[in-house]
């Protein structure tokens, strides 16, 4: 049984910070590409940031560049999304997904974690 995957969400005021964690027992993040995506109410899910197995990290949304950072700690089997200077538009459910390197299909491991930014 896979344990809860995403954690670290919550309610924060604009300008605040949160660090999301993606970890799942029974799954190894060190061998996978990992991505964070988010889905705001009434909107499509969009990728926010990704980290490939080789350590290359990408921010996929212009509006979060300079504010969000993705990182991984393979020793802890965890991928993080550090979110600073949060704004109300960052309010969404955040999900992590994994992909076998060299393939195209992402697999979502968990139910997401809610991030709510108040103005």
């Amino acid at each position: 049984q896979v344990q809860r995957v995403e954690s670290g969400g919550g309610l924060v005021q604009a300008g605040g910070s949160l660090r999301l964690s993606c970890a799942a027992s029974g799954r190894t993040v060190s061998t996978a590409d990992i991505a964070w995506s988010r889905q705001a109410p009434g909107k499509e899910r969009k990728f926010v940031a990704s980290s490939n197995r080789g350590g290359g990290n990408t921010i996929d949304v212009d509006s979060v560049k300079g504010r969000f950072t993705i990182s991984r700690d393979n020793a802890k089997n965890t991928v993080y999304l550090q979110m600073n200077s949060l704004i109300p538009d960052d309010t969404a459910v955040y999900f992590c997904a994994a992909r076998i390197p060299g393939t195209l299909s992402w697999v979502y491991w968990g139910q997401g974690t809610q991030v709510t930014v108040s103005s």
Side-chain angles (χ1 to χ4, degrees):
Q1 183 176 359
V2 178
Q3 302 296 316
R4 182 170 179 79
V5 178
E6 302 96 346
S7 63
L11 173 63
V12 63
Q13 288 187 335
S17 299
L18 287 173
R19 188 177 77 161
L20 306 183
S21 299
C22 173
S25 62
R27 303 183 190 268
T28 304
V29 301
S30 62
T31 59
D33 298 337
I34 303 293
W36 282 98
S37 63
R38 67 184 183 185
Q39 187 167 20
K43 297 186 178 180
E44 295 183 350
R45 188 178 300 186
K46 291 185 177 181
F47 282 103
V48 175
S50 56
S51 171
N52 66 40
R53 183 182 62 179
N57 298 327
T58 304
I59 298 296
D60 301 307
V61 177
D62 287 342
S63 64
V64 308
K65 287 182 178 178
R67 300 190 296 120
F68 288 13
T69 304
I70 186 171
S71 63
R72 63 169 68 206
D73 186 336
N74 289 334
K76 295 183 177 181
N77 203 34
T78 303
V79 176
Y80 303 99
L81 184 67
Q82 178 67 44
M83 307 186 295
N84 299 326
S85 302
L86 285 161
I87 61 176
D89 281 351
D90 295 322
T91 295
V93 179
Y94 285 72
F95 303 86
C96 68
R99 180 180 67 182
I100 297 173
T103 66
L104 298 177
S105 298
W106 291 94
V107 176
Y108 286 89
W109 286 346
Q111 301 299 312
T113 185
Q114 175 70 49
V115 171
T116 303
V117 184
S118 63
S119 58

